[in-house]
Amino acid sequence: MKLLIMGPPGAGKGTQAKILAQKFSLVHLSTGDILRNEIDKASSVGLKAQTYMNAGNLVPDDVLLEMMNSTLSRLKDQGVILDGFPRTIPQAEGLSKIFKSLNQVIDGIINIEVDKNVLINRLVERAKKSGRADDTEEVIINRQNVYLELTAPLIEFYKDNLLSINGDGSIEKVTERILTRIQ
Ligand code: AMP
C-alpha cells in the first residue's frame, strides 16, 4: 500500500502518519525527518537543505525528487506512507513519474484540514518543547504562508482522489475519521 498524507504545518500529519504506519506495517517516510537527519550527518543534501529549512522555506524540488526517487526505488516492495512529500506541483508530477517507473500507483491521499488559528496555536505550543530551529513565531508564520502558496494547490491537483479529513479534535478522533475512510 502506498499512502500520502498532506496538510498544513501543525495539522498533525506526522502523528497520524506514525499511527497509520504502525497499524498497516508501512514505512513512515517523513521528508522533514529525513532532511533533519541529513543535516545532523552534515551530508551534502543536509548542507543544501539547512538554510531553507531554518527559514521555513521549501528545499528545492530537485533535491527532494532525487532523494525520494532513490528512497522509493529502494523500498519498492514495501508499503509506505509519505508524510510531507509532495509539497509542490512539480514534486507531485515527479512523484507520478517515479511511481509509474516502478509500476506502482498511489492507493490513498489523505488531506488533514485544520483552521489556520488552531494551527498557529498548536505550533507555538509545540515550539516551547521541540527545540526545532524552525519553530520560532516568525518562521511558523512563514511556513503557513509557504504552505498556502506552494502546497495548497495540491488539493486541486489531487481533487479526484483526495480523502479530506477534519483534523480538529483529539488524536484518537482524527485517527478514527481516517480509518473510516481508508478501510
Ligand atoms: P516538516 O517536518 O514536514 O514540517 O518539514 C520541515 C521542513 O523540511 C520544511 O519546512 C521544509 O523546509 C523541509 N521539507 C520537508 N519536506 C519537504 C518537501 N517535500 N519539499 C521541500 N521542503 C521540504
Side-chain angles (χ1 to χ4, degrees):
M1 179 156 60
K2 310 285 176 187
L3 292 181
L4 308 190
I5 187 159
M6 311 196 313
K13 59 184 169 2
T15 305
Q16 295 299 332
K18 275 194 201 104
I19 295 170
L20 296 172
Q22 196 165 22
K23 185 161 176 64
F24 297 110
S25 303
L26 307 172
V27 180
H28 173 206
L29 289 175
S30 152
T31 43
D33 286 348
I34 297 172
L35 291 168
R36 279 184 285 276
N37 187 34
E38 294 295 327
I39 292 176
D40 290 344
K41 290 193 299 195
S43 70
S44 67
V45 168
L47 294 175
K48 273 185 221 157
Q50 189 160 28
T51 337
Y52 296 99
M53 287 178 72
N54 286 350
N57 291 322
L58 294 187
V59 177
D61 290 336
D62 58 335
V63 176
L64 266 294
L65 281 167
E66 201 180 312
M67 187 172 97
M68 294 313 282
N69 189 14
S70 61
T71 307
L72 290 169
S73 306
R74 184 164 45 81
L75 295 174
K76 71 175 185 325
D77 298 325
Q78 275 167 276
V80 295
I81 180 160
L82 297 183
D83 160 15
F85 179 87
R87 241 161 157 125
T88 64
I89 299 277
Q91 289 181 19
E93 290 168 345
L95 180 63
S96 300
K97 287 191 193 135
I98 295 172
F99 277 139
K100 203 165 180 191
S101 74
L102 297 171
N103 257 326
Q104 293 178 331
V105 291
I106 301 172
D107 298 291
I109 307 171
I110 299 159
N111 185 42
I112 305 189
E113 298 176 328
V114 184
D115 181 75
K116 192 173 171 188
N117 294 327
V118 177
L119 292 174
I120 298 203
N121 285 341
R122 277 192 195 173
L123 287 170
V124 169
E125 285 306 308
R126 184 178 85 183
K128 291 181 189 156
K129 302 175 214 147
S130 80
R132 267 174 60 164
D134 60 353
D135 264 348
T136 64
E137 192 176 341
E138 190 191 342
V139 176
I140 287 170
I141 291 169
N142 188 39
R143 289 171 69 217
Q144 296 296 337
N145 291 336
V146 167
Y147 169 81
L148 287 177
E149 189 188 336
L150 296 171
T151 309
L154 291 178
I155 296 172
E156 176 66 21
F157 183 89
Y158 284 129
K159 67 176 187 303
D160 295 336
N161 300 303
L162 210 61
L163 305 172
S164 295
I165 304 290
N166 173 5
D168 205 2
S170 68
I171 292 173
E172 295 75 19
K173 187 79 210 158
V174 177
T175 307
E176 198 183 300
R177 288 183 194 132
I178 296 174
L179 292 178
T180 57
R181 299 290 300 279
I182 60 174
Q183 279 176 332

